Amino acid sequence: VEEGLLKKDPYEILAVEGGLRLNAVFSALLVSFAFGKATPDALDLIGFSSSTGLVEVVQVPALIVAVACVGSAVACGGFLAKEKRRSGFVWGVK
């Protein structure tokens, strides 16, 4: 990006706050629970049998959430930020 093409916005900082932080934490916990190697052992520890299929049921929404997060980052950072002359990296992370 050439110098002077990006809009200067003092509020455009790389800080994930509020709803973005809640979404990031929820997504990370869901994906780690669904695809973690220790999830079946943890479920056995708290009394759930790993044969109940709970992990397999949770993997579908977790995959959807993960793909949506990555797709949103690419769309915002790659396309929307350029249209609005903003930092693609900051918008992609947010």
Side-chain angles (χ1 to χ4, degrees), residues 2-92:
E2 294 180 27
E3 186 68 30
L5 288 181
L6 294 178
K7 287 184 179 178
K8 301 295 182 194
D9 187 358
Y11 299 108
E12 186 174 335
I13 58 173
L14 188 59
V16 179
E17 300 170 341
L20 291 175
R21 183 177 295 170
L22 182 64
N23 182 28
V25 169
F26 172 74
S27 300
L29 288 175
L30 181 65
V31 170
S32 65
F33 175 76
F35 297 107
K37 291 182 181 179
T39 301
D41 296 335
L43 288 175
D44 288 338
L45 185 66
I46 61 172
F48 287 102
S49 174
S50 59
S51 65
T52 59
L54 178 64
V55 175
E56 289 82 13
V57 171
V58 173
Q59 283 179 346
V60 174
L63 184 62
I64 292 170
V65 166
V67 169
C69 287
V70 170
S72 173
V74 169
C76 287
F79 303 112
L80 293 177
K82 288 181 182 178
E83 290 176 7
K84 297 183 181 289
R85 297 183 352 198
R86 301 296 182 139
S87 170
F89 178 74
V90 173
W91 275 43

